[in-house]
Amino acid sequence: MNQEIAADGKLNNEVRTAKAFRSKKEEKRYWMLLIALLLIGVIAAYGLLVYNNPVPVDSPSFLPVARRRMYAVVAMIIAAIAHSISTVTFQSITNNRIITPSLLGFEALHSTIHTSLLFFFGAQALINFTGTGAFLFQIGIMVLMCLLLFGWLLTKEQGNLQLMLLIGVIIGTGLRSLSSFMRRMISPSEFDILQSRLFGSVNNAQTEYFPIAIPIVIIAAVLLILYANKLNVLSLGKNTATTLGVKHQPAIIYPLVLVSILMSVSTALIGPLTFYGFLIATLTYQAAPTYDHRYLFPMAFAIGFAIITLAYFLMNHVFSGAGVVSVIIELFGGLIFLFVILRKGVL
Amino acid sequence: MDRAQRSDSKSIFTLPFILAILAVLALGFISLATGVYDIRGQEDGMQMFFITRLPRTIALMLTGAAMSISGLVMQLITQNRMVEPTTTGTIEWAGLGLLVVYLFFDSPTLVMRMTGAIVFAFGGTMAFFLLLKRVRLRSSLIVPILGMMLGAVVSALSTFLGLTFNLTQNISNWFIGSFAAVQIGRYEYLWLIVLITLFIYLYANKLTVAGLGEDTATSLGINYNKTVLVATALISFSVGIVTAVIGNLPFLGLIVPNLVSRFRGDDLRSNLPWVVLLGMGTITLSDIISRTIISPFEVPVSLILGTVGSFAFIIILIRQRKAR
């Protein structure tokens, strides 16, 4: 099956004219941009680790400080992988470059889980809700919800992605009103504990989750990268893909499940980031003039990594507003979103 | 079916309509009688009744009317049944307006907050409509998704401002619509809704024609842009007032008009009384539930609307798909 589609729909294997790029120049530009962005990301990450470290390198307390900062950088890498790959995949499957999977209400589910814990079992339970079991439990619930949604809506005769998306958004709204109601009933001090959990922040990432989160994210991402050839075909739209011999519905459920896993892990670990993925994907299409996902994915990751490390570095060390990085990313992503809609004119 | 009903709809007061009025009145009485304070036993019972009970029930009626009319008019203008103040970002804009007023004034009066909410709701809704005009849509389902994404951008801005100036709990409390705080002296601005409803009623035929689309409306001699502008202004007024006085009331404007047009077709003028009545009934019922479910405490009514409403929305969506 893979073989047939491998050459971007071309059957002639001897003269491969269908390259991922239109010209050598564009390909060169792609690689240069990719390397430059990765360099920016790495430099910013290095800066986050050592810049303004109050302890000298040879002091014994240097390691604990650096380790704490390294955890934050690892969390950023996880966020960058999860959001970049899942958003690009999702937009290709839905054949729509405006939509992002974070719309499906992961964040609402996340905050409902945490708020209801605090609400029903008290602050102690929320503080205790850490560790491998809790993490897997939370991800399990999120993926299960997505599976129900996808399975229910996409396998039916009138299966329709837009309908699924809208229903996901509505469920999100319903859950949000449920959790905000519960939040109203708690005392301000408990609200403070909860608020620190609900806003996306790499400094909140619980390090004991890493041993599970990292393999999950890497496996899901690798599986999606291996699926790149099919994604190339799917991104042509449902009709074209069917003509080219891809069974549309089964072919999209597999990547959708992987996307939901990536989003769940990232949301559970770092909190909700609604427009981060959108921002990454939009910039990726500008930076990589290709439709081949084998090239889109690395560029998306490089951009995501550069954005998040640079944002944290600037906010931590240049402007002193460390608490609001995620909100800034949201705002910036949202503005780009508006700009893109206005410029494209088609939805 | 539509035709048959249209012929006798010259007089609104058909039997079902009168029954509906009686039902809403009955709900109103139940609402008046619901509460923790014993108004019959206590000496100042009657006083209490006029200070809180009566204003609350009136506020419910007015708000229910306002939100469902806003939804109806929005659906006409955009020619999309999935549109209402929550799915166009109007409420988020109104909230941003409130926040901005809080930022500039220390303890703003209700009029100031209302003005902020109305101005922002108007600007935001107009921006959304202009956006819809500029964008070619592949599916009508995209419109609410786009509106909610825009709403998310606006709330990201609100969150940012809230975090920077330490107002988040204020905001998230504000955004839960509840009638608990309604009492004499705090709700009177809602009466403006009666005026707005009258305006919409007088304007109904023009709006119905505008709902046929820009080209048709223009060839029928309607100034389309002016009509849309006036309608948006009216919607923003009611949404702004409700947001400032009560808070966010999700999905009311979506469910009520959809139910009505399911039974009665799409003539705005003859549907309007039904939409008003059903809106009043729905919100009064929700409020009664919200007050009795964990009595003596109460649940914000927006929780019930948001949870039940999202389910109803999903059912409407699926039904609509199946009908095709």
Side-chain angles (χ1 to χ4, degrees), chain A residues 31-270:
Chain A
W31 286 112
M32 276 166 54
L33 254 175
L34 185 67
I35 290 165
L37 282 166
L38 281 175
L39 269 179
I40 292 177
V42 169
I43 291 170
Y46 183 73
L48 277 173
L49 286 179
V50 297
Y51 183 80
N52 216 1
N53 196 332
V55 196
V57 183
D58 47 355
S59 135
S61 50
F62 173 78
L63 264 178
V65 175
R67 187 178 297 145
R68 195 179 142 67
R69 292 179 170 198
M70 203 175 72
Y71 288 145
V73 172
V74 171
M76 288 178 207
I77 296 175
I78 293 175
I81 295 177
H83 280 267
S84 61
I85 293 191
S86 61
T87 310
V88 170
T89 307
F90 197 73
Q91 295 194 343
S92 294
I93 298 169
T94 52
N95 203 8
N96 189 325
R97 290 189 164 180
I98 304 291
I99 281 163
T100 118
S102 20
L103 275 179
L104 281 174
F106 291 98
E107 141 271 335
L109 199 55
H110 171 80
S111 63
T112 308
I113 292 173
H114 282 272
T115 312
S116 49
L117 256 179
L118 180 63
F119 183 73
F120 291 114
F121 304 106
Q124 202 51 45
L126 184 70
I127 294 166
N128 288 340
F129 188 66
T130 48
T132 317
F135 187 72
L136 284 179
F137 174 73
Q138 195 183 337
I139 290 171
I141 291 184
M142 289 187 185
V143 175
L144 194 72
M145 291 285 279
C146 291
L147 272 178
L148 283 176
L149 191 63
F150 298 153
W152 171 46
L153 285 164
L154 291 178
T155 50
K156 274 191 177 175
E157 208 42 45
Q158 73 272 32
N160 180 322
L161 271 171
Q162 269 129 8
L163 184 67
M164 178 202 84
L165 199 61
L166 187 55
I167 289 183
V169 175
I170 307 289
I171 291 177
T173 319
L175 287 178
R176 218 165 289 139
S177 73
L178 192 70
S179 61
S180 65
F181 151 69
M182 292 192 275
R183 245 173 279 156
R184 192 193 168 95
M185 313 287 268
I186 61 185
S187 70
S189 60
E190 287 177 319
F191 183 83
D192 266 354
I193 305 176
L194 190 63
Q195 177 166 320
S196 66
R197 283 279 182 99
L198 292 181
F199 280 102
S201 162
V202 292
N203 298 323
N204 275 337
Q206 303 286 326
T207 47
E208 67 257 37
Y209 294 159
F210 283 168
I212 347 154
I214 294 171
I216 294 177
V217 166
I218 289 176
I219 290 170
V222 167
L223 287 178
L224 277 173
I225 292 169
L226 293 177
Y227 205 66
N229 285 331
K230 264 226 175 112
L231 287 176
N232 291 344
V233 183
L234 287 172
S235 66
L236 296 172
K238 186 178 177 180
N239 294 341
T240 318
T242 311
T243 316
L244 288 172
V246 174
K247 275 191 185 152
H248 193 257
Q249 278 179 6
I252 59 175
I253 287 194
Y254 172 64
L256 278 178
V257 170
L258 290 175
V259 165
S260 72
I261 291 174
L262 282 175
M263 290 307 298
S264 313
V265 174
S266 159
T267 311
L269 205 63
I270 308 168

Side-chain angles (χ1 to χ4, degrees), chain A residues 95-96 98-100 103 152 158 160 162-163 165-167 169-171 173-174 177-178 180-181 184-186 188 191 195 199 275 324 327-328 330-331 334-335 337-338 341-342 345-347, chain B residues 82 131 134-139 141-142 144-146 148-150 152-153 156-157 159-160 163 168-169 172-173 176 178 251 294 298-300 302-303 306-307 310 313-314 317-318 321-322:
Chain A
N95 203 8
N96 189 325
I98 304 291
I99 281 163
T100 118
L103 275 179
W152 171 46
Q158 73 272 32
N160 180 322
Q162 269 129 8
L163 184 67
L165 199 61
L166 187 55
I167 289 183
V169 175
I170 307 289
I171 291 177
T173 319
S177 73
L178 192 70
S180 65
F181 151 69
R184 192 193 168 95
M185 313 287 268
I186 61 185
F191 183 83
Q195 177 166 320
F199 280 102
F275 287 104
V324 294
V327 186
I328 300 254
E330 295 299 274
L331 250 186
L335 290 177
F337 165 71
L338 285 182
I341 294 176
L342 283 176
V346 181
L347 264 179
Chain B
M82 301 298 139
L131 197 72
R134 281 194 60 168
V135 172
R136 198 162 53 82
L137 296 162
R138 282 191 290 203
S139 160
L141 294 177
I142 292 283
I145 295 176
L146 181 63
M148 286 182 174
M149 279 182 92
L150 271 182
V153 179
L157 187 61
T159 313
F160 174 65
L163 276 178
T168 23
Q169 197 166 8
S172 70
N173 272 353
I176 302 172
S178 168
F251 296 128
I294 51 164
E298 62 176 271
V299 181
S302 74
L303 156 77
T307 328
S310 52
F313 192 173
I314 291 171
L317 275 172
I318 291 170
R321 288 283 123 177
K322 277 196 180 144

Side-chain angles (χ1 to χ4, degrees), chain B residues 5 38 48 54 57 61 82-83 93 106 109 118 131 183 204 207 219 232 315 319 321:
Chain B
Q5 271 186 347
D38 181 11
M48 233 24 184
L54 194 63
T57 306
M61 298 283 175
M82 301 298 139
V83 164
W93 280 103
D106 247 354
T109 61
I118 291 170
L131 197 72
Q183 50 170 290
L207 283 172
S219 63
T232 314
I315 291 170
R319 279 260 176 113
R321 288 283 123 177

Side-chain angles (χ1 to χ4, degrees), chain B residues 153-172:
Chain B
V153 179
V154 177
S155 15
L157 187 61
S158 299
T159 313
F160 174 65
L161 291 175
L163 276 178
T164 327
F165 299 98
N166 223 351
L167 289 167
T168 23
Q169 197 166 8
N170 267 8
I171 300 305
S172 70

